[in-house]
Amino acid sequence: MDKNTFWGNELSEKIGQAEACFHELQTQPLSTEISKVMLEKLESFIKKTEEAQFQIAFVGTIKAGKSTLINALLQGQYASTNVAPETAVLTKFGDSKCNYFSLEVEYYSYTEWRHIWDQIMGAASSKDESIRDRVRPFIEEYNKLGAQKVKEQCLGRPKERKLFKSVDELASAIAEYTSAASRIHYYVKEVYVGIKDHVLPEKIVLCDTPGLDDVLEYRSNVTKRYIDSASAVVVCVESSFLGGEQLHTIQSVFSRNRFHPERVYVVGTKIDKLTDPQTDWKIQKETWVQYLQGKACFGSRALANDNIVGVSAWIEQILYNIDQVDSKSRDYFSLCAFASSYSLDTDTIRTPETYTLLRRSAAVTTLMNILKERIFAAYRQSMIEDLLEEYDLLQAEVSLQMKTIIGEKEMLIGSLSADKEKLEKKLENTQEKIENIEERWEEFEELYDELCHNKKVTSENIKHKIDNLIQ
């Protein structure tokens, strides 16, 4: 999708004008006149239009199925889904914008890591035994993995980008940098996974986050900050149970989105594990709606009902790879059990009709359609309106600054003109004085000649008289 199609003609035209203006203001002689702040504002506006992303933050309690759901939405095996809790690093999944899979890794600086380590050591030496118990597994695992050995080669390292030809190579690299079982992950701040032939709409980014209840405050704080900036938040809770821990996680998300509860989606995961998924999930959902319809969460029963969705990401993954599933495998039997709970004929699982019904029952595509229709269509329009408003303000600022510069130039020209008039007046006066001096000099020369003549005549007369006397 090109820029005009994505942003619309009006905003695209103004983006082009902003780019042209930015270029012109950087050229001589304007570059020395325009303020640095003005140029930074223009550059920031242009970057926003280039780098805009609609980001969905996936949060949840330990092993709630966040990574499996992300894989299902992406139609691939990217995020690690091992039995042990995995995601320890903020991991974003988006378009690679090239013909390869890509991985961008950002590391902590020495200063950031020192702050994190001081926090860990502070917790380890706390007088509160419960705090010491929470951080002890982290320190034990850190030492067991020998993470200290790779510290110097990771901290302060520039952001790096790697390219891969296959999904398997990419998945292996993702695990190396983000898995809690990897010693490198301690020093990784953020990872961006670029997917070739991205199946999601342009600019949509899914983000797998560390748990809000992570034993380390710095990791849970990363998730909290990310929730604040996300376009939507998907809270994953296992569908079979909604207890105190799960409610606390959900309420933490709503407390950070109190003005936009419509951007929060509570997803009941693993509905395939329910005894009777079709009936049991209806009962569970009604209970969840009762709990979450209050002011502290969705604020209305209607919104709670619309934004609570039950899914089976695992079944969706099996269906996506149905052609490669062995009829005697565990996955196939799980698929048959799921089909039976919806009264679907297991002998027709591979037919288009049953396949479509199963995908609808797994509801992953339903969730994605909900996000696209309710969040991204509205959010893009909201962003367009915000950017148009920002452009108008920038245009007014540039116009005011240019008027100021022109006014200063006109004052300078006026001052120079006034100075020129004064100089010309002085020159006229000087010229008059010179002319007066010249006239007087001529008079002086005439007087001098007359004096010289009279002197000569007088001298001759005196001489004549003396000659007469001598005779």
Side-chain angles (χ1 to χ4, degrees):
M1 188 184 293
D2 61 25
K3 186 188 291 185
N4 286 6
T5 305
F6 187 82
W7 288 123
N9 292 334
E10 183 182 3
L11 180 56
S12 295
E13 183 181 343
K14 293 191 174 183
I15 292 169
Q17 291 170 355
E19 289 170 342
C21 180
F22 181 68
H23 174 72
E24 288 298 321
L25 294 179
Q26 282 184 306
T27 60
Q28 291 291 346
L30 286 175
S31 61
T32 57
E33 303 289 345
I34 204 76
S35 76
K36 184 180 178 182
V37 173
M38 188 72 259
L39 288 172
E40 287 174 350
K41 284 183 178 180
L42 274 168
E43 187 174 26
S44 174
F45 172 81
I46 294 165
K47 277 188 175 180
K48 279 182 187 177
T49 64
E50 292 172 348
E51 301 172 1
Q53 294 177 335
F54 305 113
Q55 304 195 18
I56 311 177
F58 285 75
V59 302
T61 50
I62 292 174
K63 301 313 295 176
K66 292 182 296 161
S67 299
T68 304
L69 179 55
I70 287 173
N71 284 336
L73 289 165
L74 296 173
Q75 297 180 4
Q77 195 67 34
Y78 304 105
S80 181
T81 55
N82 289 344
V83 175
E86 278 292 298
T87 307
V89 175
L90 196 68
T91 309
K92 299 177 181 179
F93 298 85
D95 193 353
S96 68
K97 298 180 181 177
C98 68
N99 291 325
Y100 293 90
F101 297 99
S102 66
L103 194 69
E104 294 177 16
V105 183
E106 183 179 353
Y107 297 90
Y108 284 111
S109 66
Y110 281 94
T111 302
E112 288 170 329
W113 178 252
R114 192 177 303 113
H115 175 72
I116 291 167
W117 192 250
D118 286 347
Q119 186 186 106
I120 294 166
M121 291 298 99
S125 59
S126 172
K127 294 179 179 179
D128 188 331
E129 187 176 356
S130 64
I131 295 176
R132 296 199 305 272
D133 287 343
R134 279 176 63 82
V135 80
R136 186 180 296 115
F138 173 92
I139 297 172
E140 289 175 352
E141 193 68 15
Y142 180 87
N143 293 330
K144 179 183 175 182
L145 292 171
Q148 187 71 19
K149 295 177 183 178
V150 296
K151 175 182 172 183
E152 291 302 319
Q153 72 186 57
C154 294
L155 290 182
R157 194 167 168 176
K159 184 185 286 189
E160 58 188 13
R161 187 170 189 256
K162 299 183 177 184
L163 300 177
F164 306 92
K165 292 182 179 179
S166 72
V167 174
D168 290 341
E169 289 177 346
L170 176 65
S172 177
I174 293 170
E176 180 183 0
Y177 290 104
T178 68
S179 171
S182 165
R183 63 183 180 179
I184 294 176
H185 89 269
Y186 294 100
Y187 311 110
V188 176
K189 186 175 184 179
E190 185 177 303
V191 168
Y192 179 88
V193 179
I195 298 171
K196 182 181 74 169
D197 302 325
H198 194 33
V199 297
L200 300 181
E202 185 181 6
K203 295 184 181 293
I204 291 182
V205 174
L206 310 184
C207 184
D208 199 358
T209 65
L212 278 168
D213 54 348
D214 198 288
V215 294
L216 294 180
E217 186 182 357
Y218 85 89
R219 287 205 295 227
S220 61
N221 284 342
V222 166
T223 299
K224 289 174 184 175
R225 285 193 294 271
Y226 191 71
I227 287 171
D228 292 340
S229 62
S231 309
V233 183
V234 174
V235 189
C236 295
V237 179
E238 193 164 340
S239 59
S240 59
F241 183 68
L242 184 65
E245 184 181 359
Q246 288 80 6
L247 278 171
H248 174 72
T249 298
I250 293 169
Q251 287 167 351
S252 295
V253 171
F254 276 108
S255 70
R256 310 192 78 83
N257 285 269
R258 59 173 59 91
F259 300 115
H260 295 285
E262 73 281 0
R263 295 182 186 176
V264 178
Y265 292 83
V266 178
V267 176
T269 59
K270 306 179 184 179
I271 61 172
D272 54 281
K273 289 191 174 183
L274 297 171
T275 305
D276 181 356
Q278 187 172 20
T279 304
D280 292 353
W281 171 243
K282 285 182 180 178
I283 295 170
Q284 283 290 76
K285 180 174 178 177
E286 177 58 32
T287 303
W288 291 21
V289 169
Q290 291 289 339
Y291 274 113
L292 304 177
Q293 66 183 343
K295 290 183 179 179
C297 296
F298 285 111
S300 77
R301 180 178 178 80
L303 185 59
N305 190 64
D306 287 344
N307 284 29
I308 297 175
V309 183
V311 304
S312 175
W314 186 39
I315 293 296
E316 174 71 16
Q317 286 286 80
I318 296 171
L319 289 167
Y320 179 67
N321 297 300
I322 190 67
D323 292 337
Q324 294 146 17
V325 176
D326 188 335
S327 298
K328 296 181 180 180
S329 67
R330 175 174 168 267
D331 285 353
Y332 189 79
F333 286 124
S334 297
L335 189 58
C336 288
F338 187 73
S340 296
S341 69
Y342 284 89
S343 302
L344 297 174
D345 187 353
T346 57
D347 292 332
T348 62
I349 280 178
R350 296 183 192 272
T351 64
E353 294 80 6
T354 304
Y355 175 86
T356 301
L357 289 170
L358 284 168
R359 286 199 73 189
R360 189 182 302 161
S361 301
V364 172
T365 52
T366 301
L367 173 62
M368 193 66 243
N369 288 334
I370 288 171
L371 290 171
K372 284 192 285 187
E373 291 168 9
R374 297 184 196 165
I375 291 294
F376 296 105
Y379 200 79
R380 179 168 66 176
Q381 185 56 40
S382 176
M383 280 194 71
I384 289 172
E385 290 171 2
D386 289 346
L387 287 167
L388 286 171
E389 185 177 339
E390 186 175 343
Y391 174 85
D392 289 341
L393 290 171
L394 278 171
Q395 187 183 47
E397 284 189 51
V398 170
S399 177
L400 179 61
Q401 198 161 130
M402 293 304 296
K403 284 179 181 177
T404 302
I405 291 170
I406 291 168
E408 289 173 351
K409 296 291 185 188
E410 288 176 345
M411 286 178 63
L412 179 60
I413 291 169
S415 176
L416 289 172
S417 297
D419 289 344
K420 181 183 176 184
E421 289 176 6
K422 288 179 183 178
L423 183 60
E424 287 175 347
K425 190 70 177 175
K426 285 182 180 180
L427 285 171
E428 287 177 9
N429 292 337
T430 303
Q431 186 63 34
E432 288 177 6
K433 288 179 182 179
I434 290 171
E435 288 174 357
N436 288 335
I437 290 170
E438 287 176 346
E439 288 177 4
R440 297 201 176 197
W441 181 255
E442 288 176 1
E443 292 175 0
F444 174 76
E445 284 183 333
E446 290 176 0
L447 184 62
Y448 179 76
D449 290 343
E450 185 180 348
L451 182 63
C452 288
H453 175 72
N454 291 339
K455 180 182 175 184
K456 183 179 178 181
V457 170
T458 303
S459 178
E460 288 177 353
N461 289 335
I462 291 171
K463 184 180 177 187
H464 181 69
K465 286 179 180 182
I466 291 173
D467 288 345
N468 287 336
L469 285 173
I470 291 172
Q471 290 177 357

